[in-house]
Amino acid sequence: MARAVERGEHVPAVLGFVPGIPESPDRYAEVHPDRVKRFPNSVEEFLFNPDGIDESEQSQSKGWRHELEHDAESVFWLFLYWSMVAQPEKGLEETIHSPSWGGLLGDSRDRHAFVRTLSDGALPDHLTHSFYKPLHPLIEDLAAILLIDSHHLKAPDPRKDTFYVTEAFQRLILKFIIENRGKQFMDRPVEKTFRQVERLWGPDGRSVTNSQAADSANRSVDSGTCPVCGSVNFCLFLLLCLRVRLQATDEDVDIADGIVTHNTEMVDVQ
C-alpha cells in the first residue's frame, strides 16, 4: 500500500535528492511524442530541503486525495516484495535481510524510512538473492522517484504532475528490459517456494517475532503459495504492461497497446 494512502495525507517532506526526468527509450519516444513533450528528458536533479517549504503556500494547496501516483507506488512495493522472496531455480539458498523485511512489512513510517534507504543506494547485499543483484540499480532508481512526495514540489516542475511517477516508472522499467534482455538472471525460472527471512535472536530468546513466524507459516510449502511470476523477465514485462494500463485516457491506452504489441521481441515471454 502506498504510504500516503495508509496515512490519508501527503507523505512528510524529507531532505533528499529529486532525480532528473528519466530518458525515453528511442522506440518509446517514437510512439509517445506527446509524453516526451509533456515530460522532457532532464538530467537535472536538485536537493530538496523541507526547511524551505512555505507553510502558507502549503496550507492553501488542495487537500489530499488518492491519485494515480499512489497506485504506481503500490506496484513498486509489489515488485520489491517479489524481488525479495524470489529464489532462482537450482540456486544456493540465501535468507532475506531481516531489517529490510521489517521495512517492507512495517507501517507507512517504516516504509518511508525504507524508501529513503533504498534511494540512497544503501541496498543490503541480501535484499534480494545474490543472483538477482542486477535488479538493485532499478530498485534504487524507482525508490528515488518516490522519495519526495510531489505535493511538496512547486509548479511548473513536470515532476509535480500526477502522471509523472507512472511515466517515470514506465521509462525506467522499459529501459532496464532493453538493456538486460537475454541475460541469465532475466530468464532463469524461479523456484516454487520463497526465500526465508534470516533469524535474529530477540531479547526474549525467540529467534523470530510473532509476525515473522506467522508470515513464514503463510509462505510455507504446505500452503501452496508460490511466486506469481516465473522469471524476472516476465515480472518486469507484467509491470510494464500495468504501467501502460494505468494511463488515464483511452488514447493513451490505445497507443500503449501498440508499443506492447509491436515490441514484444524485446521481451522473451515464455
Side-chain angles (χ1 to χ4, degrees):
M1 177 186 294
R3 294 157 295 163
V5 173
E6 180 181 330
R7 294 171 54 88
E9 60 182 0
H10 302 292
V11 176
V14 296
L15 180 67
F17 280 98
V18 177
I21 300 175
E23 182 179 0
S24 302
D26 291 341
R27 176 55 179 159
Y28 184 86
E30 292 175 7
V31 178
H32 299 286
D34 54 332
R35 295 186 194 172
V36 173
K37 182 178 180 180
R38 184 173 182 177
F39 302 104
N41 302 342
S42 170
V43 296
E44 180 184 357
E45 66 175 11
F46 64 90
L47 181 65
F48 181 85
N49 187 350
D51 293 336
I53 295 178
D54 186 334
E55 296 295 339
S56 61
E57 181 180 316
Q58 290 291 308
S59 63
Q60 295 174 4
S61 63
K62 65 179 182 180
W64 182 88
R65 68 178 183 178
H66 192 130
E67 300 280 6
L68 182 66
E69 62 192 75
H70 302 131
D71 293 330
E73 181 180 336
S74 295
V75 172
F76 167 77
W77 292 117
L78 193 62
F79 166 59
L80 183 60
Y81 170 80
W82 186 91
S83 302
M84 292 173 68
V85 302
Q87 167 72 31
E89 189 176 71
K90 298 180 181 179
L92 295 175
E93 292 188 4
E94 297 177 0
T95 55
I96 299 172
H97 184 244
S98 185
S100 296
W101 190 247
L104 178 68
L105 299 187
D107 60 19
S108 62
R109 291 173 298 180
D110 295 323
R111 294 198 305 281
H112 191 40
F114 195 25
V115 166
R116 192 170 188 177
T117 297
L118 297 175
S119 66
D120 286 342
L123 281 68
D125 288 338
H126 290 296
L127 176 71
T128 66
H129 191 283
S130 58
F131 186 71
Y132 297 128
K133 196 169 183 177
L135 283 174
H136 288 196
L138 177 61
I139 293 173
E140 178 183 346
D141 288 344
L142 296 178
I145 297 294
L146 298 173
L147 180 60
I148 306 298
D149 192 314
S150 64
H151 168 73
H152 303 299
L153 302 180
K154 295 183 178 181
D157 191 324
R159 286 166 289 200
K160 187 175 179 63
D161 192 310
T162 188
F163 291 94
Y164 173 65
V165 174
T166 302
E167 178 67 18
F169 272 26
Q170 186 163 311
R171 293 183 186 185
L172 290 170
I173 293 170
L174 180 58
K175 181 173 181 288
F176 186 88
I177 291 176
I178 293 173
E179 291 179 347
N180 292 279
R181 55 181 174 177
K183 293 184 179 179
Q184 190 177 18
F185 81 93
M186 292 284 283
D187 297 324
R188 180 184 289 189
V190 300
E191 294 285 359
K192 294 183 179 180
T193 53
F194 295 115
R195 297 170 67 216
Q196 297 298 305
V197 181
E198 65 182 350
R199 293 177 177 269
L200 296 179
W201 293 96
D204 58 358
R206 297 171 63 103
S207 61
V208 293
T209 64
N210 290 331
S211 61
Q212 287 175 329
D215 175 72
S216 178
N218 290 335
R219 298 188 298 126
S220 67
V221 177
D222 294 337
S223 71
T225 305
C226 62
V228 174
C229 302
S231 70
V232 171
N233 200 8
F234 191 55
C235 175
L236 291 175
F237 181 73
L238 288 182
L239 286 181
L240 179 60
C241 291
L242 185 55
R243 296 268 53 73
V244 168
R245 291 300 177 183
L246 284 179
Q247 300 304 319
T249 66
D250 291 338
E251 179 182 4
D252 279 343
V253 171
D254 290 341
I255 296 175
D257 283 340
I259 192 170
V260 171
T261 301
H262 294 107
N263 288 276
T264 51
E265 70 274 6
M266 294 190 307
V267 184
D268 181 18
V269 183
Q270 298 295 335

